[in-house]
Structure formats: C-alpha cells, structure tokens
Amino acid sequence: MPIDGFSEFLKENGKKAMDAAREAAAIAKIKADMKAEELKMTSTYAEIGKLFCTHASGEIDEVFIPLLQKVAESKEKMINFEAELDKLKKTVTCPECGGKSPAGSRFCNTCGAELPDVVTADSAEKAEEKTGAAVNEEAVKEEAAEESGASAEEMAEEASTEEAPADEDIFED
C-alpha cells in the first residue's frame, strides 16, 4: 500500500519540520534576549558616562579629557543643528522646556515661559542694511568734512544744532 507509506513519510517529515521550527524559534528568542540585554548594557554605560560628564569636577584622569571635549563639541553641534532646524521650520525652541513655538512668539506654547527675542534672517538682513546705510552716511559726512576742512565731529555738532523743520500737522480739522 503506497498510500500508507506516503502518509508515514508526511508524518515523519512534518514532525522534523515542526522540531526544526521550534529550534529556530528558540534560537531567535535567545538572540533577541541577548540583543535586549546588550542594548540595556549599552544604555547603562551611556547613563554612567552622562552622569560622569555632568558631575565630573576636580581632578579628572587625563584619559577622560578628550572624551569630555568630544561631548562638549557634540553638544555645541546639536545646538547649532537645532537652531538650523528652527530656522527652516520657522520655529523657536523654549530655553525652559525645549518646546517648539512659531517664530516671533513671545511666550512658549508648551510651558508659557517668555521666549527670548530671536533674530530672524529677514530682520538680520534689515539690520545689516541699516548698518550699511549708517556706515555710508558716516562716510559721506567724513568726505564732506574733509572737503570743507572741518572735522567730522564739528560737522555732526553743527548738524545737531541746526533747527529741524517743523512737522506738518497731519490731523488738520
């Protein structure tokens, strides 16, 4: 009876396949548990390092100094990256809670703390233009003073003592 032989073959190989699947599952579980413990250990090492960096004072073994410098450099880079992101996203980061608020906000949307005035790219350009205009104006005054033989300070003093024209009343009845 060939059918009986075939069913025996299927039973035997099915059992082998189930045993192999159980073994593979057990191996995968052990590997996952090992990876979880490795991550826990790495996290604990990082926590120890962070605590050391924040509480290190007095004599520090020279072995740690380059590593502490790397941490300080990374912190500075992170601050710069955060500022770049804020600029691109047109947001500001609250110095109190780290929350994000739209650029130009006076108070944090998360904690309500007053936000520092942030110089935007537009306002920086305008300030630069004003500074450039002031420098140009000063150069023109100095040139005029040189031509007239007077010093720039004398010219500025003379200009401030001249009477300014009276403003027109824009609210006429």
Side-chain angles (χ1 to χ4, degrees), residues 123-163:
S123 63
E125 284 176 18
K126 288 177 186 173
E128 198 172 292
E129 286 173 9
K130 287 180 184 177
T131 304
V135 168
N136 287 340
E137 186 178 318
E138 194 63 36
V140 168
K141 284 180 186 176
E142 285 178 12
E143 236 176 74
E146 284 175 14
E147 288 174 8
S148 69
S151 70
E153 289 81 20
E154 289 171 349
M155 293 287 284
E157 191 175 304
E158 189 178 303
S160 66
T161 57
E162 291 177 6
E163 280 190 39

PDB file of all heavy atoms in Angstrom, residues 123-163:
ATOM      1  N   SER A 123      15.072  89.894   9.631  1.00  0.00           N
ATOM      2  CA  SER A 123      15.437  91.015  10.494  1.00  0.00           C
ATOM      3  C   SER A 123      16.943  91.207  10.524  1.00  0.00           C
ATOM      4  O   SER A 123      17.419  92.317  10.655  1.00  0.00           O
ATOM      5  CB  SER A 123      14.871  90.825  11.908  1.00  0.00           C
ATOM      6  OG  SER A 123      15.425  89.687  12.520  1.00  0.00           O
ATOM      7  N   ALA A 124      17.702  90.128  10.373  1.00  0.00           N
ATOM      8  CA  ALA A 124      19.162  90.253  10.334  1.00  0.00           C
ATOM      9  C   ALA A 124      19.584  90.999   9.067  1.00  0.00           C
ATOM     10  O   ALA A 124      20.458  91.854   9.118  1.00  0.00           O
ATOM     11  CB  ALA A 124      19.817  88.880  10.379  1.00  0.00           C
ATOM     12  N   GLU A 125      18.918  90.693   7.929  1.00  0.00           N
ATOM     13  CA  GLU A 125      19.231  91.388   6.685  1.00  0.00           C
ATOM     14  C   GLU A 125      18.889  92.868   6.799  1.00  0.00           C
ATOM     15  O   GLU A 125      19.645  93.727   6.370  1.00  0.00           O
ATOM     16  CB  GLU A 125      18.459  90.766   5.517  1.00  0.00           C
ATOM     17  CG  GLU A 125      19.031  89.450   5.038  1.00  0.00           C
ATOM     18  CD  GLU A 125      18.178  88.821   3.944  1.00  0.00           C
ATOM     19  OE1 GLU A 125      17.351  89.526   3.327  1.00  0.00           O
ATOM     20  OE2 GLU A 125      18.352  87.610   3.708  1.00  0.00           O
ATOM     21  N   LYS A 126      17.724  93.167   7.408  1.00  0.00           N
ATOM     22  CA  LYS A 126      17.327  94.562   7.573  1.00  0.00           C
ATOM     23  C   LYS A 126      18.305  95.304   8.469  1.00  0.00           C
ATOM     24  O   LYS A 126      18.671  96.443   8.193  1.00  0.00           O
ATOM     25  CB  LYS A 126      15.901  94.643   8.152  1.00  0.00           C
ATOM     26  CG  LYS A 126      14.842  94.257   7.141  1.00  0.00           C
ATOM     27  CD  LYS A 126      13.470  94.269   7.759  1.00  0.00           C
ATOM     28  CE  LYS A 126      12.431  93.743   6.763  1.00  0.00           C
ATOM     29  NZ  LYS A 126      11.118  93.591   7.373  1.00  0.00           N
ATOM     30  N   ALA A 127      18.738  94.660   9.550  1.00  0.00           N
ATOM     31  CA  ALA A 127      19.710  95.280  10.448  1.00  0.00           C
ATOM     32  C   ALA A 127      21.023  95.508   9.723  1.00  0.00           C
ATOM     33  O   ALA A 127      21.657  96.550   9.894  1.00  0.00           O
ATOM     34  CB  ALA A 127      19.925  94.396  11.680  1.00  0.00           C
ATOM     35  N   GLU A 128      21.407  94.560   8.889  1.00  0.00           N
ATOM     36  CA  GLU A 128      22.641  94.696   8.120  1.00  0.00           C
ATOM     37  C   GLU A 128      22.524  95.849   7.124  1.00  0.00           C
ATOM     38  O   GLU A 128      23.446  96.639   6.955  1.00  0.00           O
ATOM     39  CB  GLU A 128      22.919  93.389   7.378  1.00  0.00           C
ATOM     40  CG  GLU A 128      24.347  93.240   6.914  1.00  0.00           C
ATOM     41  CD  GLU A 128      24.601  91.856   6.360  1.00  0.00           C
ATOM     42  OE1 GLU A 128      24.578  90.889   7.147  1.00  0.00           O
ATOM     43  OE2 GLU A 128      24.822  91.759   5.143  1.00  0.00           O
ATOM     44  N   GLU A 129      21.350  95.986   6.478  1.00  0.00           N
ATOM     45  CA  GLU A 129      21.123  97.085   5.549  1.00  0.00           C
ATOM     46  C   GLU A 129      21.204  98.426   6.277  1.00  0.00           C
ATOM     47  O   GLU A 129      21.810  99.370   5.796  1.00  0.00           O
ATOM     48  CB  GLU A 129      19.762  96.937   4.868  1.00  0.00           C
ATOM     49  CG  GLU A 129      19.714  95.843   3.827  1.00  0.00           C
ATOM     50  CD  GLU A 129      18.307  95.604   3.303  1.00  0.00           C
ATOM     51  OE1 GLU A 129      17.383  96.401   3.616  1.00  0.00           O
ATOM     52  OE2 GLU A 129      18.119  94.603   2.593  1.00  0.00           O
ATOM     53  N   LYS A 130      20.570  98.513   7.468  1.00  0.00           N
ATOM     54  CA  LYS A 130      20.604  99.744   8.252  1.00  0.00           C
ATOM     55  C   LYS A 130      22.030 100.080   8.650  1.00  0.00           C
ATOM     56  O   LYS A 130      22.452 101.226   8.583  1.00  0.00           O
ATOM     57  CB  LYS A 130      19.722  99.621   9.508  1.00  0.00           C
ATOM     58  CG  LYS A 130      18.250  99.665   9.221  1.00  0.00           C
ATOM     59  CD  LYS A 130      17.453  99.537  10.505  1.00  0.00           C
ATOM     60  CE  LYS A 130      15.962  99.490  10.220  1.00  0.00           C
ATOM     61  NZ  LYS A 130      15.192  99.301  11.449  1.00  0.00           N
ATOM     62  N   THR A 131      22.770  99.058   9.086  1.00  0.00           N
ATOM     63  CA  THR A 131      24.161  99.274   9.473  1.00  0.00           C
ATOM     64  C   THR A 131      24.961  99.757   8.274  1.00  0.00           C
ATOM     65  O   THR A 131      25.738 100.700   8.378  1.00  0.00           O
ATOM     66  CB  THR A 131      24.778  97.966  10.018  1.00  0.00           C
ATOM     67  OG1 THR A 131      23.970  97.508  11.084  1.00  0.00           O
ATOM     68  CG2 THR A 131      26.186  98.183  10.501  1.00  0.00           C
ATOM     69  N   GLY A 132      24.734  99.143   7.115  1.00  0.00           N
ATOM     70  CA  GLY A 132      25.428  99.557   5.893  1.00  0.00           C
ATOM     71  C   GLY A 132      25.074 100.987   5.531  1.00  0.00           C
ATOM     72  O   GLY A 132      25.935 101.780   5.166  1.00  0.00           O
ATOM     73  N   ALA A 133      23.784 101.348   5.669  1.00  0.00           N
ATOM     74  CA  ALA A 133      23.353 102.713   5.358  1.00  0.00           C
ATOM     75  C   ALA A 133      23.991 103.698   6.323  1.00  0.00           C
ATOM     76  O   ALA A 133      24.430 104.777   5.929  1.00  0.00           O
ATOM     77  CB  ALA A 133      21.829 102.804   5.420  1.00  0.00           C
ATOM     78  N   ALA A 134      24.073 103.331   7.600  1.00  0.00           N
ATOM     79  CA  ALA A 134      24.685 104.204   8.597  1.00  0.00           C
ATOM     80  C   ALA A 134      26.171 104.397   8.300  1.00  0.00           C
ATOM     81  O   ALA A 134      26.702 105.496   8.418  1.00  0.00           O
ATOM     82  CB  ALA A 134      24.495 103.631   9.997  1.00  0.00           C
ATOM     83  N   VAL A 135      26.831 103.323   7.886  1.00  0.00           N
ATOM     84  CA  VAL A 135      28.255 103.412   7.548  1.00  0.00           C
ATOM     85  C   VAL A 135      28.430 104.315   6.334  1.00  0.00           C
ATOM     86  O   VAL A 135      29.318 105.175   6.312  1.00  0.00           O
ATOM     87  CB  VAL A 135      28.846 102.006   7.288  1.00  0.00           C
ATOM     88  CG1 VAL A 135      30.222 102.097   6.657  1.00  0.00           C
ATOM     89  CG2 VAL A 135      28.896 101.212   8.582  1.00  0.00           C
ATOM     90  N   ASN A 136      27.560 104.154   5.325  1.00  0.00           N
ATOM     91  CA  ASN A 136      27.638 105.006   4.138  1.00  0.00           C
ATOM     92  C   ASN A 136      27.392 106.462   4.496  1.00  0.00           C
ATOM     93  O   ASN A 136      28.071 107.360   4.011  1.00  0.00           O
ATOM     94  CB  ASN A 136      26.626 104.556   3.069  1.00  0.00           C
ATOM     95  CG  ASN A 136      27.044 103.269   2.403  1.00  0.00           C
ATOM     96  OD1 ASN A 136      28.211 102.884   2.441  1.00  0.00           O
ATOM     97  ND2 ASN A 136      26.087 102.581   1.798  1.00  0.00           N
ATOM     98  N   GLU A 137      26.392 106.715   5.346  1.00  0.00           N
ATOM     99  CA  GLU A 137      26.078 108.078   5.767  1.00  0.00           C
ATOM    100  C   GLU A 137      27.269 108.701   6.495  1.00  0.00           C
ATOM    101  O   GLU A 137      27.617 109.851   6.263  1.00  0.00           O
ATOM    102  CB  GLU A 137      24.843 108.056   6.685  1.00  0.00           C
ATOM    103  CG  GLU A 137      24.328 109.417   7.063  1.00  0.00           C
ATOM    104  CD  GLU A 137      23.091 109.313   7.933  1.00  0.00           C
ATOM    105  OE1 GLU A 137      22.228 108.459   7.633  1.00  0.00           O
ATOM    106  OE2 GLU A 137      23.009 110.076   8.906  1.00  0.00           O
ATOM    107  N   GLU A 138      27.895 107.927   7.367  1.00  0.00           N
ATOM    108  CA  GLU A 138      29.067 108.401   8.105  1.00  0.00           C
ATOM    109  C   GLU A 138      30.214 108.715   7.147  1.00  0.00           C
ATOM    110  O   GLU A 138      30.901 109.723   7.296  1.00  0.00           O
ATOM    111  CB  GLU A 138      29.495 107.339   9.129  1.00  0.00           C
ATOM    112  CG  GLU A 138      30.469 107.826  10.160  1.00  0.00           C
ATOM    113  CD  GLU A 138      29.902 108.934  11.042  1.00  0.00           C
ATOM    114  OE1 GLU A 138      28.701 108.892  11.368  1.00  0.00           O
ATOM    115  OE2 GLU A 138      30.672 109.839  11.381  1.00  0.00           O
ATOM    116  N   ALA A 139      30.396 107.875   6.125  1.00  0.00           N
ATOM    117  CA  ALA A 139      31.460 108.100   5.137  1.00  0.00           C
ATOM    118  C   ALA A 139      31.202 109.390   4.362  1.00  0.00           C
ATOM    119  O   ALA A 139      32.117 110.170   4.103  1.00  0.00           O
ATOM    120  CB  ALA A 139      31.560 106.913   4.191  1.00  0.00           C
ATOM    121  N   VAL A 140      29.929 109.639   3.999  1.00  0.00           N
ATOM    122  CA  VAL A 140      29.573 110.862   3.276  1.00  0.00           C
ATOM    123  C   VAL A 140      29.862 112.083   4.140  1.00  0.00           C
ATOM    124  O   VAL A 140      30.401 113.088   3.680  1.00  0.00           O
ATOM    125  CB  VAL A 140      28.088 110.825   2.830  1.00  0.00           C
ATOM    126  CG1 VAL A 140      27.618 112.172   2.342  1.00  0.00           C
ATOM    127  CG2 VAL A 140      27.899 109.760   1.770  1.00  0.00           C
ATOM    128  N   LYS A 141      29.514 111.997   5.450  1.00  0.00           N
ATOM    129  CA  LYS A 141      29.777 113.112   6.368  1.00  0.00           C
ATOM    130  C   LYS A 141      31.276 113.384   6.474  1.00  0.00           C
ATOM    131  O   LYS A 141      31.702 114.533   6.459  1.00  0.00           O
ATOM    132  CB  LYS A 141      29.211 112.804   7.760  1.00  0.00           C
ATOM    133  CG  LYS A 141      27.719 112.943   7.865  1.00  0.00           C
ATOM    134  CD  LYS A 141      27.257 112.631   9.273  1.00  0.00           C
ATOM    135  CE  LYS A 141      25.749 112.625   9.371  1.00  0.00           C
ATOM    136  NZ  LYS A 141      25.314 112.237  10.729  1.00  0.00           N
ATOM    137  N   GLU A 142      32.057 112.320   6.586  1.00  0.00           N
ATOM    138  CA  GLU A 142      33.509 112.488   6.690  1.00  0.00           C
ATOM    139  C   GLU A 142      34.083 113.113   5.428  1.00  0.00           C
ATOM    140  O   GLU A 142      34.947 113.982   5.480  1.00  0.00           O
ATOM    141  CB  GLU A 142      34.184 111.140   6.980  1.00  0.00           C
ATOM    142  CG  GLU A 142      34.008 110.670   8.395  1.00  0.00           C
ATOM    143  CD  GLU A 142      34.643 109.318   8.657  1.00  0.00           C
ATOM    144  OE1 GLU A 142      35.427 108.834   7.802  1.00  0.00           O
ATOM    145  OE2 GLU A 142      34.348 108.735   9.712  1.00  0.00           O
ATOM    146  N   GLU A 143      33.559 112.684   4.258  1.00  0.00           N
ATOM    147  CA  GLU A 143      34.017 113.242   2.990  1.00  0.00           C
ATOM    148  C   GLU A 143      33.704 114.728   2.914  1.00  0.00           C
ATOM    149  O   GLU A 143      34.531 115.548   2.528  1.00  0.00           O
ATOM    150  CB  GLU A 143      33.313 112.517   1.830  1.00  0.00           C
ATOM    151  CG  GLU A 143      34.261 111.896   0.839  1.00  0.00           C
ATOM    152  CD  GLU A 143      33.503 111.130  -0.224  1.00  0.00           C
ATOM    153  OE1 GLU A 143      32.887 111.777  -1.104  1.00  0.00           O
ATOM    154  OE2 GLU A 143      33.539 109.885  -0.167  1.00  0.00           O
ATOM    155  N   ALA A 144      32.475 115.084   3.312  1.00  0.00           N
ATOM    156  CA  ALA A 144      32.055 116.491   3.282  1.00  0.00           C
ATOM    157  C   ALA A 144      32.913 117.309   4.247  1.00  0.00           C
ATOM    158  O   ALA A 144      33.288 118.448   3.951  1.00  0.00           O
ATOM    159  CB  ALA A 144      30.582 116.609   3.645  1.00  0.00           C
ATOM    160  N   ALA A 145      33.223 116.739   5.385  1.00  0.00           N
ATOM    161  CA  ALA A 145      34.043 117.442   6.364  1.00  0.00           C
ATOM    162  C   ALA A 145      35.448 117.667   5.819  1.00  0.00           C
ATOM    163  O   ALA A 145      36.017 118.739   6.000  1.00  0.00           O
ATOM    164  CB  ALA A 145      34.111 116.642   7.667  1.00  0.00           C
ATOM    165  N   GLU A 146      35.990 116.665   5.150  1.00  0.00           N
ATOM    166  CA  GLU A 146      37.330 116.797   4.576  1.00  0.00           C
ATOM    167  C   GLU A 146      37.359 117.898   3.521  1.00  0.00           C
ATOM    168  O   GLU A 146      38.290 118.695   3.441  1.00  0.00           O
ATOM    169  CB  GLU A 146      37.787 115.467   3.963  1.00  0.00           C
ATOM    170  CG  GLU A 146      38.223 114.452   4.983  1.00  0.00           C
ATOM    171  CD  GLU A 146      38.555 113.102   4.345  1.00  0.00           C
ATOM    172  OE1 GLU A 146      38.709 113.022   3.099  1.00  0.00           O
ATOM    173  OE2 GLU A 146      38.666 112.129   5.104  1.00  0.00           O
ATOM    174  N   GLU A 147      36.296 117.947   2.689  1.00  0.00           N
ATOM    175  CA  GLU A 147      36.224 118.950   1.634  1.00  0.00           C
ATOM    176  C   GLU A 147      36.123 120.355   2.209  1.00  0.00           C
ATOM    177  O   GLU A 147      36.678 121.305   1.676  1.00  0.00           O
ATOM    178  CB  GLU A 147      35.038 118.675   0.703  1.00  0.00           C
ATOM    179  CG  GLU A 147      35.259 117.483  -0.188  1.00  0.00           C
ATOM    180  CD  GLU A 147      34.028 117.124  -1.011  1.00  0.00           C
ATOM    181  OE1 GLU A 147      33.036 117.891  -0.999  1.00  0.00           O
ATOM    182  OE2 GLU A 147      34.063 116.070  -1.675  1.00  0.00           O
ATOM    183  N   SER A 148      35.375 120.491   3.321  1.00  0.00           N
ATOM    184  CA  SER A 148      35.195 121.827   3.895  1.00  0.00           C
ATOM    185  C   SER A 148      36.323 122.198   4.850  1.00  0.00           C
ATOM    186  O   SER A 148      36.393 123.313   5.326  1.00  0.00           O
ATOM    187  CB  SER A 148      33.852 121.913   4.627  1.00  0.00           C
ATOM    188  OG  SER A 148      33.901 121.107   5.794  1.00  0.00           O
ATOM    189  N   GLY A 149      37.157 121.235   5.180  1.00  0.00           N
ATOM    190  CA  GLY A 149      38.265 121.493   6.094  1.00  0.00           C
ATOM    191  C   GLY A 149      37.877 121.328   7.549  1.00  0.00           C
ATOM    192  O   GLY A 149      38.698 121.504   8.445  1.00  0.00           O
ATOM    193  N   ALA A 150      36.636 120.997   7.848  1.00  0.00           N
ATOM    194  CA  ALA A 150      36.195 120.795   9.238  1.00  0.00           C
ATOM    195  C   ALA A 150      36.286 119.310   9.570  1.00  0.00           C
ATOM    196  O   ALA A 150      36.297 118.457   8.696  1.00  0.00           O
ATOM    197  CB  ALA A 150      34.756 121.274   9.402  1.00  0.00           C
ATOM    198  N   SER A 151      36.312 118.998  10.855  1.00  0.00           N
ATOM    199  CA  SER A 151      36.349 117.591  11.260  1.00  0.00           C
ATOM    200  C   SER A 151      34.945 117.013  11.217  1.00  0.00           C
ATOM    201  O   SER A 151      33.954 117.745  11.222  1.00  0.00           O
ATOM    202  CB  SER A 151      36.922 117.456  12.674  1.00  0.00           C
ATOM    203  OG  SER A 151      36.007 117.966  13.606  1.00  0.00           O
ATOM    204  N   ALA A 152      34.855 115.691  11.196  1.00  0.00           N
ATOM    205  CA  ALA A 152      33.554 115.024  11.159  1.00  0.00           C
ATOM    206  C   ALA A 152      32.760 115.353  12.412  1.00  0.00           C
ATOM    207  O   ALA A 152      31.538 115.516  12.365  1.00  0.00           O
ATOM    208  CB  ALA A 152      33.741 113.516  11.022  1.00  0.00           C
ATOM    209  N   GLU A 153      33.451 115.471  13.561  1.00  0.00           N
ATOM    210  CA  GLU A 153      32.765 115.781  14.827  1.00  0.00           C
ATOM    211  C   GLU A 153      32.169 117.188  14.765  1.00  0.00           C
ATOM    212  O   GLU A 153      31.036 117.415  15.199  1.00  0.00           O
ATOM    213  CB  GLU A 153      33.736 115.677  16.020  1.00  0.00           C
ATOM    214  CG  GLU A 153      34.164 114.269  16.367  1.00  0.00           C
ATOM    215  CD  GLU A 153      35.289 113.751  15.481  1.00  0.00           C
ATOM    216  OE1 GLU A 153      36.013 114.569  14.853  1.00  0.00           O
ATOM    217  OE2 GLU A 153      35.436 112.523  15.400  1.00  0.00           O
ATOM    218  N   GLU A 154      32.910 118.148  14.186  1.00  0.00           N
ATOM    219  CA  GLU A 154      32.409 119.520  14.070  1.00  0.00           C
ATOM    220  C   GLU A 154      31.190 119.559  13.172  1.00  0.00           C
ATOM    221  O   GLU A 154      30.210 120.262  13.456  1.00  0.00           O
ATOM    222  CB  GLU A 154      33.501 120.441  13.517  1.00  0.00           C
ATOM    223  CG  GLU A 154      34.627 120.712  14.488  1.00  0.00           C
ATOM    224  CD  GLU A 154      35.793 121.456  13.832  1.00  0.00           C
ATOM    225  OE1 GLU A 154      35.830 121.579  12.583  1.00  0.00           O
ATOM    226  OE2 GLU A 154      36.665 121.919  14.587  1.00  0.00           O
ATOM    227  N   MET A 155      31.235 118.792  12.076  1.00  0.00           N
ATOM    228  CA  MET A 155      30.100 118.747  11.142  1.00  0.00           C
ATOM    229  C   MET A 155      28.878 118.143  11.824  1.00  0.00           C
ATOM    230  O   MET A 155      27.767 118.629  11.670  1.00  0.00           O
ATOM    231  CB  MET A 155      30.450 117.923   9.898  1.00  0.00           C
ATOM    232  CG  MET A 155      31.503 118.531   9.008  1.00  0.00           C
ATOM    233  SD  MET A 155      30.894 119.929   8.084  1.00  0.00           S
ATOM    234  CE  MET A 155      29.920 119.112   6.837  1.00  0.00           C
ATOM    235  N   ALA A 156      29.087 117.069  12.611  1.00  0.00           N
ATOM    236  CA  ALA A 156      27.978 116.426  13.308  1.00  0.00           C
ATOM    237  C   ALA A 156      27.391 117.373  14.339  1.00  0.00           C
ATOM    238  O   ALA A 156      26.164 117.468  14.497  1.00  0.00           O
ATOM    239  CB  ALA A 156      28.451 115.137  13.975  1.00  0.00           C
ATOM    240  N   GLU A 157      28.260 118.118  15.031  1.00  0.00           N
ATOM    241  CA  GLU A 157      27.796 119.060  16.047  1.00  0.00           C
ATOM    242  C   GLU A 157      27.001 120.180  15.394  1.00  0.00           C
ATOM    243  O   GLU A 157      25.948 120.584  15.869  1.00  0.00           O
ATOM    244  CB  GLU A 157      29.013 119.632  16.786  1.00  0.00           C
ATOM    245  CG  GLU A 157      28.646 120.402  18.028  1.00  0.00           C
ATOM    246  CD  GLU A 157      29.898 120.832  18.771  1.00  0.00           C
ATOM    247  OE1 GLU A 157      30.715 119.965  19.104  1.00  0.00           O
ATOM    248  OE2 GLU A 157      30.038 122.047  18.994  1.00  0.00           O
ATOM    249  N   GLU A 158      27.488 120.655  14.255  1.00  0.00           N
ATOM    250  CA  GLU A 158      26.815 121.714  13.531  1.00  0.00           C
ATOM    251  C   GLU A 158      25.442 121.255  13.055  1.00  0.00           C
ATOM    252  O   GLU A 158      24.456 121.977  13.155  1.00  0.00           O
ATOM    253  CB  GLU A 158      27.674 122.119  12.330  1.00  0.00           C
ATOM    254  CG  GLU A 158      27.184 123.353  11.615  1.00  0.00           C
ATOM    255  CD  GLU A 158      28.123 123.707  10.468  1.00  0.00           C
ATOM    256  OE1 GLU A 158      29.323 123.912  10.714  1.00  0.00           O
ATOM    257  OE2 GLU A 158      27.610 123.766   9.323  1.00  0.00           O
ATOM    258  N   ALA A 159      25.370 120.014  12.570  1.00  0.00           N
ATOM    259  CA  ALA A 159      24.100 119.474  12.077  1.00  0.00           C
ATOM    260  C   ALA A 159      23.102 119.325  13.211  1.00  0.00           C
ATOM    261  O   ALA A 159      21.911 119.554  13.036  1.00  0.00           O
ATOM    262  CB  ALA A 159      24.322 118.129  11.400  1.00  0.00           C
ATOM    263  N   SER A 160      23.554 118.983  14.406  1.00  0.00           N
ATOM    264  CA  SER A 160      22.621 118.781  15.521  1.00  0.00           C
ATOM    265  C   SER A 160      22.123 120.101  16.078  1.00  0.00           C
ATOM    266  O   SER A 160      21.061 120.151  16.673  1.00  0.00           O
ATOM    267  CB  SER A 160      23.273 117.952  16.630  1.00  0.00           C
ATOM    268  OG  SER A 160      24.331 118.684  17.211  1.00  0.00           O
ATOM    269  N   THR A 161      22.882 121.194  15.894  1.00  0.00           N
ATOM    270  CA  THR A 161      22.440 122.486  16.416  1.00  0.00           C
ATOM    271  C   THR A 161      21.500 123.192  15.464  1.00  0.00           C
ATOM    272  O   THR A 161      20.770 124.090  15.860  1.00  0.00           O
ATOM    273  CB  THR A 161      23.658 123.406  16.706  1.00  0.00           C
ATOM    274  OG1 THR A 161      24.409 123.549  15.511  1.00  0.00           O
ATOM    275  CG2 THR A 161      24.501 122.860  17.828  1.00  0.00           C
ATOM    276  N   GLU A 162      21.489 122.813  14.175  1.00  0.00           N
ATOM    277  CA  GLU A 162      20.554 123.411  13.215  1.00  0.00           C
ATOM    278  C   GLU A 162      19.145 123.000  13.586  1.00  0.00           C
ATOM    279  O   GLU A 162      18.895 121.901  14.056  1.00  0.00           O
ATOM    280  CB  GLU A 162      20.859 122.924  11.787  1.00  0.00           C
ATOM    281  CG  GLU A 162      22.149 123.432  11.232  1.00  0.00           C
ATOM    282  CD  GLU A 162      22.427 122.852   9.856  1.00  0.00           C
ATOM    283  OE1 GLU A 162      21.552 122.145   9.300  1.00  0.00           O
ATOM    284  OE2 GLU A 162      23.526 123.096   9.351  1.00  0.00           O
ATOM    285  N   GLU A 163      18.189 123.930  13.348  1.00  0.00           N
ATOM    286  CA  GLU A 163      16.805 123.622  13.679  1.00  0.00           C
ATOM    287  C   GLU A 163      16.222 122.718  12.610  1.00  0.00           C
ATOM    288  O   GLU A 163      16.392 122.957  11.424  1.00  0.00           O
ATOM    289  CB  GLU A 163      15.976 124.904  13.761  1.00  0.00           C
ATOM    290  CG  GLU A 163      16.162 125.611  15.072  1.00  0.00           C
ATOM    291  CD  GLU A 163      15.143 126.734  15.225  1.00  0.00           C
ATOM    292  OE1 GLU A 163      13.983 126.545  14.832  1.00  0.00           O
ATOM    293  OE2 GLU A 163      15.541 127.769  15.735  1.00  0.00           O
TER     294      GLU A 163
END
